[in-house]
Amino acid sequence: MTRVFSGVKPTGHLTLGNYLGAMRQWATVDQHRAEALFCIVDLHALTVDHDPARVRRLSRQAATLLLAAGLDPRLCTVFVQSHVDEHARLSYLLECVATDGEMRRMIQYKEKAAREQRRGGSVRLSLLTYPVLMAADILAYRADEVPVGDDQVQHVELTRDLAVRFNQRYGHTFVVPRATRPKVAARVMNLQDPTAKMGKSDDTGPGIVYLLDEPDVVRKKVMRAVTDSGRDVVYDRESRPGVANLLEILAACSGGNPAALGGVYESYGALKKDTAEAVVEVLRPVQERHKELCADPGYVEGVLRDGAERARAMSRPTVDAAYRAIGLLPAGVDGGALG
Ligand code: TRP
C-alpha cells in the first residue's frame, strides 16, 4: 500500500489555507486510500525564535485540529515528531550525506535567513539543517508520497537526492519519495494581499482566516478582503487576484468551479457575502468537533501516545538499517554483533 507522510509545523494558528489546501484532502482522501502518517513537526518550530510555552500550546492545538478536521486514528497515524527519537537519529546520518552547498542553496533558507538578518537577529544553525531533518521525517518511514505546498517542493527534491545518494553509497535503504500536490485542494491566498499565500506564520492577521475564528470574525475578514479595480466578477488570477481568490475559496467551500461561479455574481459585495457564509459553514463542524475534543484532553493525549508508538515501530527498523549501512557498530546482543 502507498505510504503517505506529511507534517504541520506548530509555529502559528492553523488557517483556512491549511485546511482547504491540505488537511481536508488528508481527511477525505489520503487516510482512506493510503497508509498515512501526519506529524506535528515540533522540532522544526525551534529553528526560529520561539517561545517554549507557545510551541507547546500550538502543538497540542494542531493535534486537536487535525482530529477535528476528520483525521481518524483508526485509519491513519497522528503523532508528534519529538515523541519519536528516530527523526533526530536519522537526521544526523543525513547530515553526513548532505553538503553545505546544498543546504545554502535552499530558497526558504535564503529568504528566512535574510529576513532574520535584516531584523538584526541571528540565524540558528538548525534553520540551515532544517531540510535534512525534514528528509529524515520522510525517509524514516519509507514514504512514497509527500503532499506539500509549492514552497516545500524543493525540500522534497533534496530528500530524493539524499535518498538516492545514500542508497548508492551504502546500499539500498530508503524509498525515494515524491512530492504530490493535493488534487481537490484550493490555493488560498491572503485576503489583504492576494498575491501571497495565506500562511500561518505571516503576521498580517486581517488577511488570514484562522480555523478557530468566530463566525463574526470570519465574516468581517472576508467582507474586508481587498478586491480589484473593475466591477464585474470574473475569474482571472493574473489581472484580478483578489476576486479570483474569493471565487476559489467559495468554490472550495461550496463545491463548484471558480470560473463558473464568476458568472453568477453581479457585484463584489454579493460574492463576498456568499463566500463569508460558505467559509463559516465549512468551519462550523470543525470548530464543534474541536470544542468536544478540548473537553476531553485525555483522548487527544491517548491518540498521540498510540500514534508515537506506531510511528516508532514503523521507523525504527529503517533507521537501524541506515545506522548499520553507514558503518556504525551495532550495540546490543540481539544479533547486532553477528549481522
Ligand atoms: N517543512 C514543512 C513546512 O514548513 C513541514 C514539514 C516538516 C514536513 N517535515 C515534513 C512536510 C515532512 C512534509 C513532510 O510546511
Side-chain angles (χ1 to χ4, degrees), residues 5-7 9 41 44 108 130 134 137-138 146 148 152 155:
F5 185 102
S6 201
K9 202 167 44 171
V41 288
H44 288 275
Q108 205 172 56
Y130 172 125
M134 177 164 164
D137 299 339
I138 298 164
V146 187
V148 284
Q152 296 299 317
H155 293 158

Side-chain angles (χ1 to χ4, degrees), residues 2-7 21 25-26 30 33 134-135 138-139 142-161 163 175-183:
T2 305
R3 195 173 278 182
V4 171
F5 185 102
S6 201
Q25 158 110 7
W26 298 349
D30 292 324
R33 70 168 179 96
M134 177 164 164
I138 298 164
L139 297 181
R142 302 173 61 87
D144 304 287
E145 295 179 8
V146 187
V148 284
D150 297 335
D151 60 331
Q152 296 299 317
V153 169
Q154 194 187 30
H155 293 158
V156 180
E157 289 302 316
L158 172 82
T159 303
R160 291 168 59 85
D161 291 345
V175 169
V176 181
R178 63 175 196 285
T180 57
R181 295 286 298 130
K183 282 173 203 68

Side-chain angles (χ1 to χ4, degrees), residues 16-17 19-21 24 184-192 194 196 198 207-209 218 221-222 225-226 235 237 241-259 261 265 271-272 274-280 282-283:
L16 182 67
Y19 182 70
L20 295 178
R24 189 169 67 168
V184 298
R187 191 166 151 71
V188 179
M189 311 303 274
N190 189 302
L191 296 172
Q192 292 298 318
M198 189 187 280
I208 302 177
V209 175
V218 173
K221 286 177 176 174
V222 175
V226 301
Y235 180 68
R237 272 231 169 266
V243 169
N245 190 35
L246 290 170
L247 286 167
E248 201 136 323
I249 293 170
L250 176 62
C253 291
S254 63
N257 148 316
L261 282 168
Y265 290 92
L271 169 62
K272 284 181 174 176
D274 281 8
T275 305
E277 290 316 313
V279 173
V280 167
V282 154
L283 294 186

